[in-house]
Amino acid sequence: MIHSNGYEDVNVNQIQVEYSKRGGRSLKVFLRNCDSYEKVDNLLGPLLLNNFSSLFKKGESVLVKPNLLSARKPDQAVTTHPSIVESVLKFLLYLETKPFVADSPASSSLQKATYESGIAQVCEKLSVPIVELDDPVQTDGQVYKKIKISAKVLKADKVVNLAKLKTHSQMILTLAVKNTFGCIPGLEKSGWHIRCATNENFASLLVDVHLLVKPVLNILDGIIGMEGNGPANGKLKKFGLVGVCENGFALDHAVCTRLGVQPKMIYVLKEALRRDLIPSYEIDGDWSSSIELPVTAQALPVPRFLGKVARSIVRVPRISKKRCVQCKICEERCPARAIEVSKYLIDYDKCIRCYVCHEVCPNDAIDLIRKFL
Ligand code: SF4
Ligand code: SF4
C-alpha cells in the first residue's frame, strides 16, 4: 500500500527487531554519498525508517529546525534544501507524529525565508505548519546563564535538526551544532556576540544552546554546500553528502575528519572536546571531500620587521561602495553599533569581528580585508 505521504507500507515490527538486535551498539554516523537532490528521498527515506523510527512515538510533537539563515533560493545553498525537509517530514508523518517546521531567521522574515527556500511549498503540500520561534524563555546552560530560548523548542516532544554544510567566517564551519543557535529568537541572537566577545566564548554558548535544544536526530544537507567565505556569500561546492546521526557533536566531528579539517580548528568542536562531549562513534559510509576554509581561518603571520608595532593581522569587514545597495540590514544587525552605512563607515575600535554584517548582507557587499592591530 502507498500512503498519501508517499511511503510504501513497511513492516515496522521488522524494523524494530532489527533495531533492537543492535542493542549496545556503538553510535553510528551515517555519511552517505548523494550527488543530486532528486535522489534524496530514495536515500534518506529508507535510511531514516531503518535506523531511527524508534526515536519517535505516535502523536509526539516534533519541531523540525532547518537552516533558514535568510531568504535565498534553494540553488544558492544558504538554506537547507526543501527536498531534505520534505523527506524528513514524510518520515515523521509516516510515523504518525505531529511535525512542524520552526526557525527564527537572522536577516529576513520567516515567511519570506520559507517561501524563497522552497520549504513553505513543501509544508503546504504536506499540510505541516510553519512556526516562528519568537517566544523567549530564560533558561540556564552549562556555562552561560539566562539564555533566552524559544519556549516552543522546550515544549516540543522532540527536535530534529536539519543543518547545512557551509563555511562560516566567524566559526569556520557551520554544521549541526551551530544550526541550533537559530532557536534563540530574533534579535536576542546579536546581543550574544557582545556578551561573548571572543570566538571561543561564542562557541561555548553554541555548545550550551545545542545541549538545551537536545535534538534527537541531526541531518546534514551537504549535497551542495558552501566553501570560502560562508555562510551566505561563499562559493557553492558540490560535497555530495547526506549526513545523519543522533548526536550532533559526533556528526560534526566525523564530517570534519572526512573533509580533512582538524576538528580542533573548529571552535565548537574544540569546546566540545574540552567538555568531553564527543562520544566514540563509527562512520557508516565512504563519503569524503575537501573544503576551502574562509579567509578568517587562515593564519596570518606578522612580518618580523613589524613584530613590535603590530600584535596581529586580523580580518575586518569593509563595505564595498560598488556593491552596497544601502539596505541597512548590516547596520541594524551589527551588535557593536559599529556601522554607519550611509557613509560606508565601520568603526574598527568598536568592531568585535563577529562578521554578522558579512553574514546578513544580501548583496555580498562586505569584504573581509586584512588589518594590523
Ligand atoms: S553592506 Fe550589504 S547589508 Fe549593508 S547596507 Fe550595504 S547591501 Fe545592505
Ligand atoms: S562591523 Fe560587522 S564584524 Fe564588526 S561588530 Fe559589526 S557586525 Fe560584527
Side-chain angles (χ1 to χ4, degrees), residues 319 323-330 341 360-363 365-366:
I319 301 170
R323 301 194 298 278
C324 175
V325 294
Q326 293 286 314
C327 70
K328 292 191 187 299
I329 293 176
C330 59
V341 88
V360 299
C361 176
N363 228 35
I366 301 270

Side-chain angles (χ1 to χ4, degrees), residues 15 18-19 22 25 28 30 32 43-56 91 217 244 246 284:
I15 289 167
E18 283 170 9
Y19 195 78
R22 293 207 311 269
R25 75 208 196 291
K28 265 193 186 168
F30 294 89
R32 293 289 172 85
L43 184 148
L44 198 50
L47 193 151
L48 295 176
L49 278 167
N50 288 328
N51 297 280
F52 300 103
S53 295
S54 65
L55 294 179
F56 304 94
F91 162 69
L217 186 58
V244 187
E246 289 161 51
D284 183 314

Side-chain angles (χ1 to χ4, degrees), residues 254-310:
V255 168
C256 272
T257 57
R258 288 286 178 90
L259 282 171
V261 174
Q262 280 286 336
K264 279 190 177 167
M265 274 192 74
I266 309 304
Y267 295 103
V268 163
L269 287 173
K270 196 173 169 192
E271 174 64 9
L273 285 161
R274 191 187 70 77
R275 293 198 211 175
D276 202 17
L277 287 171
I278 301 177
S280 58
Y281 61 82
E282 62 178 90
I283 296 178
D284 183 314
D286 59 3
W287 172 84
S288 67
S289 187
S290 60
I291 191 165
E292 179 194 320
L293 295 178
V295 289
T296 47
Q298 293 158 10
L300 297 169
V302 177
R304 195 175 289 175
F305 71 94
L306 282 172
K308 286 190 180 152
V309 285

